[in-house]
Amino acid sequence: RTEGRSVSRNLLHKSKLEAFKAWLDSQGIDHRPPRGDYQVLQVLCVRRGGHFWACVFDRINAPEHYTVDTRIEPMVRRFIQSQKVAA
C-alpha cells in the first residue's frame, strides 16, 4: 500500500531489476520477495530508530519503469550511478 507515502516514478528501468538485486547483495542490503499484486521487491531500510521494508512497485501504465518508495530513492540513485561509472 502506498497511501500516505510518496513514490518516485520512472526511476528504475524494468530491465535493471536483477542488476539492482545483485547490487543490493554486493552492498549487504537485505531484500525479499514481494507481497501483493503490484510489489516486485521489498528492500530493508535500516535507520536510527529501527528498520522497515520499502517497496519497488510495478505499474500497468508504465511499461518501462518501476515505481519506488521515496524512502529507498537515494539507494536506487546510488545503484544507477554505480552502473554509469561501471560502463
Side-chain angles (χ1 to χ4, degrees):
R1 301 175 90 173
T2 59
E3 296 94 20
R5 290 189 212 141
S6 297
V7 292
S8 181
R9 295 186 166 106
N10 299 331
L11 184 60
L12 181 61
H13 197 276
K14 288 184 176 183
S15 68
K16 301 293 185 184
L17 182 63
E18 293 305 315
F20 180 56
K21 289 180 189 179
W23 181 84
L24 291 170
D25 291 338
S26 75
Q27 300 298 306
I29 300 170
D30 289 335
H31 56 90
R32 67 183 184 190
R35 295 182 179 174
D37 294 337
Y38 294 100
Q39 291 183 11
V40 294
L41 182 67
Q42 292 187 358
V43 179
L44 183 64
C45 295
V46 179
R47 298 208 175 133
R48 281 182 258 164
H51 67 278
F52 56 89
W53 293 95
C55 300
V56 177
F57 298 96
D58 198 3
R59 291 180 22 226
I60 43 180
N61 62 345
E64 296 180 359
H65 293 89
Y66 291 120
T67 295
V68 300
D69 186 314
T70 55
R71 298 175 296 177
I72 61 170
E73 183 177 340
M75 189 182 304
V76 174
R77 291 192 184 282
R78 285 194 309 271
F79 161 70
I80 292 168
Q81 187 61 38
S82 75
Q83 297 292 292
K84 289 178 181 178
V85 170

